[in-house]
Amino acid sequence: MATAAPPSPPAAQPHPGIKGGVQPLRAGQGHSFFWRKLHSLTGIVPIGAFLIEHIVSNFEIVNGPLAYAKQVLFLNSLPLVRVLEWTLIFIPLAYHALYGVFIAIRGRNNVNVYPWAGNWMYLSQRVTGIIALLYIGYHVWSQRFSGVSLPDHPGAAFHKVQVELSNPWMVAIYVIAMVATTWHFAYGIWLFAAKWGITPGDKARKRFGYVCAVVGIALCLMGLASIYAVVNAPPAPEDVMPEQPSITLSVPATNSAQPGLVRQ
């Protein structure tokens, strides 16, 4: 007697709350909701805003060592610049990076189960985030805390970068990191808008995706142009704004003895 074949297991279906590979942030997730919300927000403000400023400021490097030195001098002359540096850059960046690694470790990759673009984008976001983290950690150490202090010697900025990029391997690392970082930021903007309900619906997300792509490509091209300008520039002096020796003006001595009147 023939037996019926066992029914095949049902195909896995995406979570009903996921649209286009984006899972919305839900208040019911408890403490995780707050930390994920904060993680999403810090990726845009202040970290994303700083990334734009950093790439735009570094683009001044295409105008030569002196122009770049003046830009570095201007940024380090801002009021409370060290307080701003820690509160708006280093601390938010450390939180965003560490919590991002935590999410990446606990998250599961669905590309084998749901092979659509949204899951591949999610995977690429995690990979580019790790690349950006490793690069930023090295870049901050080498350019901010190692070697000559650029806040104290802004005129040495161009030469310091040029020496580092004299190594072809470092050029390759910078190029890969620039592409990864700008991709991570551009797709992060798209995720932020989707998860915060700014772009409800697939049509709005698709249209906003084009905007994010333009922003990411523009920032990437500016970053790559800056790298190209440094690599192809003639060797720059070690400091284009050396400290000038103080000049002491000598006051001519005056003769206190005034000639008197000659009496006849």
Side-chain angles (χ1 to χ4, degrees):
M1 181 177 177
T3 58
S8 58
Q13 298 296 327
H15 191 280
I18 300 178
K19 295 182 179 181
V22 181
Q23 184 174 6
L25 296 174
R26 301 178 184 276
Q29 294 173 339
H31 295 293
S32 176
F33 167 77
F34 171 78
W35 296 117
R36 285 178 177 266
K37 202 84 169 177
L38 183 61
H39 177 262
S40 178
L41 180 62
T42 54
I44 306 301
V45 179
I47 298 174
F50 169 71
L51 176 64
I52 295 175
E53 182 278 325
H54 189 63
I55 292 179
V56 172
S57 294
N58 282 348
F59 191 67
E60 190 67 25
I61 210 167
V62 302
N63 294 321
L66 183 58
Y68 184 54
K70 290 181 179 179
Q71 182 68 17
V72 175
L73 177 62
F74 165 74
L75 293 176
N76 285 278
S77 301
L78 295 175
L80 301 175
V81 62
R82 297 296 161 251
V83 176
L84 296 176
E85 187 177 53
W86 281 96
T87 57
L88 297 182
I89 301 175
F90 292 149
I91 294 177
L93 182 59
Y95 166 75
H96 187 83
L98 294 177
Y99 195 74
V101 171
F102 173 76
I103 293 175
I105 293 175
R106 294 195 60 183
R108 292 193 304 173
N109 182 20
N110 293 327
V111 293
N112 294 328
V113 182
Y114 312 122
W116 58 56
N119 285 296
W120 286 108
M121 299 283 277
Y122 175 69
L123 174 62
S124 67
Q125 185 71 351
R126 289 193 290 175
V127 173
T128 55
I130 294 174
I131 294 175
L133 171 60
L134 295 175
Y135 165 73
I136 291 173
Y138 167 78
H139 183 68
V140 170
W141 170 255
S142 64
Q143 294 296 318
R144 177 65 178 84
F145 297 108
S146 177
V148 59
S149 174
L150 297 185
D152 299 327
H153 304 280
F158 193 100
H159 177 77
K160 189 174 185 179
V161 178
Q162 193 174 51
V163 169
E164 185 170 35
L165 293 182
S166 62
N167 185 342
W169 287 103
M170 288 307 306
V171 175
I173 291 174
Y174 266 62
V175 170
I176 294 173
M178 183 59 63
V179 175
T181 303
T182 51
W183 164 271
H184 187 82
F185 175 60
Y187 187 55
I189 299 174
W190 187 87
L191 284 175
F192 174 83
K195 290 187 174 185
W196 285 66
I198 300 174
T199 54
D202 292 337
K203 286 186 178 180
R205 292 173 183 174
K206 184 176 181 180
R207 293 172 181 172
F208 189 62
Y210 293 121
V211 176
C212 296
V214 170
V215 172
I217 292 173
L219 291 175
C220 184
L221 291 178
M222 291 179 67
L224 294 178
S226 300
I227 297 173
Y228 179 85
V230 173
V231 173
N232 289 274
E238 293 186 3
D239 196 333
V240 296
M241 300 174 65
E243 295 182 2
Q244 300 295 329
S246 58
I247 301 176
T248 303
L249 297 178
S250 58
V251 180
T254 57
N255 188 1
S256 59
Q258 300 294 332
L261 295 177
V262 178
R263 294 183 179 181
Q264 299 294 332

